Amino acid sequence: MSKTSTPGHSRRLTKAHKMSFAAFATIGAAALAATVVPAGSADADTTVTAAPVAWTQAVEGVQAKTVQHLSAQTKLATDAAKVEAAIKAKADAAKAKADAEAKAKKDREAKAAASRSTVRKPVYANNLDGWIKESLAIMKAHKIPGTYNGLYKNIMRESSGNPRAINNWDINAQNGIPSKGLLQVIKPTFLAYHVPGTPLDQYHPVANIVAAANYAADRYGSIDNVNSAY
């Protein structure tokens, strides 16, 4: 039997093929229409969400990187603040230590100075030379003028260096107020010109000398200017 196709059969295959191609074309167009929607179309809100999803993922990635960057910067700032605080604390501690050491040194120096002052305080001999020298030191502190020679010459003339000397025959003695001591001062004069820090004793050699020198300075300018009874 011959395999030659009849015209009718060829036409049926051709028609079937054309119909298949048309169906594929229709499906393709529909798929394209589903993914690309004209701007302003009523169906714009039903556009496939593939692009927005990709955009969201990109934005979220940038945000994540930004957060990580900010976190790193914050950590660096925190670390820097900690280092600065540690440096400041160390500097404050060093300053406090230096201040304490300076104060301790100053206190030691003050105590040493006081100790030296105490140790070096003069010890005067209990004789005429020592009495005059001690009197001169007190006179200097109270700004009372006078010299060693001025005191010595007047003491020798008035009492010959005897701190217990007393005049019982002059007018003062007759009035009941005899002159006493190294520089022969009467009691009212001694009390009026007594120098604080010395004994309130008319016979005390240093108290007597200083009071008499104070009186002579007030009346004559200095004990050095006295060359006779005063």
Side-chain angles (χ1 to χ4, degrees), residues 57-143:
Q57 290 175 345
V59 170
E60 288 178 350
V62 172
Q63 289 178 337
K65 290 182 179 179
T66 301
V67 170
Q68 290 176 355
H69 181 65
L70 292 175
S71 297
Q73 287 185 327
T74 301
K75 185 176 184 304
L76 288 174
T78 302
D79 292 344
K82 289 180 179 179
V83 171
E84 184 177 354
I87 293 173
K88 185 177 183 302
K90 187 175 180 180
D92 290 344
K95 184 178 182 302
K97 182 180 179 181
D99 291 343
E101 290 177 350
K103 183 178 183 303
K105 181 180 178 181
K106 186 176 180 180
D107 291 343
R108 288 195 301 271
E109 289 175 348
K111 289 180 180 179
S115 178
R116 286 194 299 270
S117 177
T118 301
V119 171
R120 294 179 181 179
K121 184 177 180 179
V123 177
Y124 300 100
N126 188 26
N127 55 32
L128 182 58
D129 178 69
W131 300 331
I132 292 175
K133 289 178 179 178
E134 185 175 357
S135 297
L136 286 170
I138 296 171
M139 289 164 59
K140 182 179 180 181
H142 289 271
K143 296 180 170 43

Side-chain angles (χ1 to χ4, degrees), residues 80 85 102 104 160 204:
S160 299
H204 190 280

Side-chain angles (χ1 to χ4, degrees), residues 4-224:
T4 302
S5 299
T6 63
H9 180 70
S10 297
R11 284 196 297 269
R12 284 197 299 272
L13 291 175
T14 301
K15 187 176 181 180
H17 290 165
K18 288 180 179 179
M19 290 178 66
S20 298
F21 292 151
F24 286 131
T26 302
I27 293 170
L32 180 61
T35 56
V36 180
V37 179
S41 170
D43 295 331
D45 58 344
T46 61
T47 304
V48 177
T49 59
V53 169
W55 169 259
T56 300
Q57 290 175 345
V59 170
E60 288 178 350
V62 172
Q63 289 178 337
K65 290 182 179 179
T66 301
V67 170
Q68 290 176 355
H69 181 65
L70 292 175
S71 297
Q73 287 185 327
T74 301
K75 185 176 184 304
L76 288 174
T78 302
D79 292 344
K82 289 180 179 179
V83 171
E84 184 177 354
I87 293 173
K88 185 177 183 302
K90 187 175 180 180
D92 290 344
K95 184 178 182 302
K97 182 180 179 181
D99 291 343
E101 290 177 350
K103 183 178 183 303
K105 181 180 178 181
K106 186 176 180 180
D107 291 343
R108 288 195 301 271
E109 289 175 348
K111 289 180 180 179
S115 178
R116 286 194 299 270
S117 177
T118 301
V119 171
R120 294 179 181 179
K121 184 177 180 179
V123 177
Y124 300 100
N126 188 26
N127 55 32
L128 182 58
D129 178 69
W131 300 331
I132 292 175
K133 289 178 179 178
E134 185 175 357
S135 297
L136 286 170
I138 296 171
M139 289 164 59
K140 182 179 180 181
H142 289 271
K143 296 180 170 43
I144 301 171
T147 64
Y148 187 100
N149 289 335
L151 292 174
Y152 182 81
K153 71 177 183 179
N154 280 285
I155 289 171
M156 295 308 294
R157 186 186 65 250
E158 294 293 331
S159 66
S160 299
N162 178 12
R164 303 299 299 181
I166 183 171
N167 185 324
N168 289 317
W169 58 86
D170 66 3
I171 188 64
N172 290 321
Q174 293 174 18
N175 291 330
I177 48 172
S179 301
K180 298 178 180 180
L182 289 173
L183 283 171
Q184 291 292 287
V185 293
I186 59 177
K187 190 169 186 178
T189 299
F190 176 79
L191 294 176
Y193 290 92
H194 173 260
V195 175
T198 62
L200 196 62
D201 179 0
Q202 197 173 345
Y203 282 114
H204 190 280
V206 174
N208 185 282
I209 292 172
V210 175
N214 195 23
Y215 164 73
D218 184 43
R219 187 168 180 181
Y220 304 102
S222 172
I223 190 69
D224 293 358

